[in-house]
Amino acid sequence: MLYYIKADKFLLENKEKHGGYLKIENGKFGDFVSDVPEGANVMDWSGQTIAPGLFDTHIHGVKGHDVMDGKPEAVQEISKAILPLGVTRFLPTTLTSSKEDLKQAILSIKEAINVGLEGAQSEGIFLEGPYFTETHKGAQNPSYFRNPDVDEFREWQSLAEGMIVKIALAPERENALPFTEEVSNDGVLVSIAHTDATYDCCKDIVDAGARNYVHLFNGMTGLHHREPGVVGAALSDSRAFAELICDGFHVHPQVASMAYQVKQEKLMLITDCMRAGLMPDGNYYLGEFPVVMKDGMARTESGSLAGSTLQLIDGVKNLRDWTDEPLYKVWHRGSLSPAESLGKADKLGSIEAGKLADYVVLNPKFEVQATAVEGVINYQRED
């Protein structure tokens, strides 16, 4: 399939391009041209902005469905629900749970992917846990916490047919260093989360291969002038990415702005969305925990934040408003940075010749007018 996109603006990696035609061929981006051949198929999005598809590397569920439901249908519904919101790629994300439930979740994700997803496409599985510690447990169930085990991970990876691309752990746990070295060498993104670690402990785990901090400022020791803690390690180490939930609940806007200024391209926007996303206020579950959502904020009975109900495009909007940075820069923190964190920036994350043609059409109100996956428009706004 060959066609050209005409639009007012295109959000590129290093600038905002105005006018012209973008070639789409065989599901990939081509070059920009000022004129098209006679009789060419032109998709006219005059008055609109074209942006790369968003990539949510940390999402548990949405619209009443959760990965831990252990059903392929749940993964399929999540895929379909986030496509109209501009997300073209995602990582179905598990929670700390029993061995049986984790295995079932992995199997259900694998089955859904193998059958084929109708909306956003999965780029693998993210295991959030179970190798955490209790002090900053958040909505993770401590009864299942344990030390990292390479043999256990190998069992999961075999079950997943190699689809696990990211796993989170607390670096202070026994065996965390050798586990990180071995798993990182296999190309899995080891991430730091739900931890009471010191700055030095974090530095050691990054030396061993860890390259990401999960939901920065949440589920970790804070910044202190005598002990920089996990937050200090995340902000000061240019080797590691840091995830940020920009819903205004998890992180104060001014702190989010500071994190953006410090981390720049190493900051990536996530949602950590759970099943209450896109749903009305009320009672829900996150894993085994009852959760109450009020005014869009989800909390456990103990008062801990329980994931979020944020949508990634709203996180982009918020960070743009909080930082007053150009949209093309902030947008890529939700598309290119996630792709780079997983070593997938050669094919995803930005509008560049040769990359997969995942793109979003934005109208002047910053609403998603259409979403395309590999050049095929799979969602279009009815109006």
Side-chain angles (χ1 to χ4, degrees), residues 276 279-285 291-299:
M279 298 291 282
D281 284 355
N283 298 314
Y284 299 90
Y285 274 87
V291 171
V292 176
M293 182 174 73
K294 184 177 180 182
D295 299 327
M297 187 188 305
R299 290 188 180 275

Side-chain angles (χ1 to χ4, degrees), residues 335-355:
S335 62
L336 185 58
S337 292
E340 288 177 335
S341 75
L342 294 166
K344 296 177 180 285
D346 60 328
K347 68 170 187 173
L348 297 170
S350 62
I351 297 172
E352 184 179 330
K355 290 191 177 185

Side-chain angles (χ1 to χ4, degrees), residues 316-333:
V316 172
K317 290 179 189 176
N318 288 338
L319 191 60
R320 180 196 59 175
D321 292 343
W322 299 341
T323 61
D324 201 29
E325 284 283 280
L327 178 58
Y328 75 87
K329 287 187 177 182
V330 177
W331 187 277
H332 283 91
R333 305 295 68 81

Side-chain angles (χ1 to χ4, degrees), residues 230-357:
V230 182
V231 170
L235 292 175
S236 62
D237 196 329
S238 62
R239 296 173 295 175
F241 288 84
E243 304 174 0
L244 200 63
I245 307 172
C246 287
D247 59 359
F249 302 140
H250 284 76
V251 181
H252 188 281
Q254 188 56 45
V255 176
S257 178
M258 177 196 70
Y260 172 83
Q261 297 300 329
V262 172
K263 294 299 290 184
Q264 293 289 311
E265 288 81 6
K266 291 288 188 177
L267 186 79
M268 59 175 168
L269 300 179
I270 60 154
T271 63
D272 197 11
C273 190
M274 47 86 75
R275 72 172 72 246
L278 299 179
M279 298 291 282
D281 284 355
N283 298 314
Y284 299 90
Y285 274 87
L286 179 59
E288 300 174 7
F289 292 109
V291 171
V292 176
M293 182 174 73
K294 184 177 180 182
D295 299 327
M297 187 188 305
R299 290 188 180 275
T300 63
E301 293 176 332
S302 65
S304 295
L305 286 168
S308 86
T309 61
L310 178 70
Q311 300 310 310
L312 197 51
I313 192 167
D314 293 325
V316 172
K317 290 179 189 176
N318 288 338
L319 191 60
R320 180 196 59 175
D321 292 343
W322 299 341
T323 61
D324 201 29
E325 284 283 280
L327 178 58
Y328 75 87
K329 287 187 177 182
V330 177
W331 187 277
H332 283 91
R333 305 295 68 81
S335 62
L336 185 58
S337 292
E340 288 177 335
S341 75
L342 294 166
K344 296 177 180 285
D346 60 328
K347 68 170 187 173
L348 297 170
S350 62
I351 297 172
E352 184 179 330
K355 290 191 177 185
L356 295 178

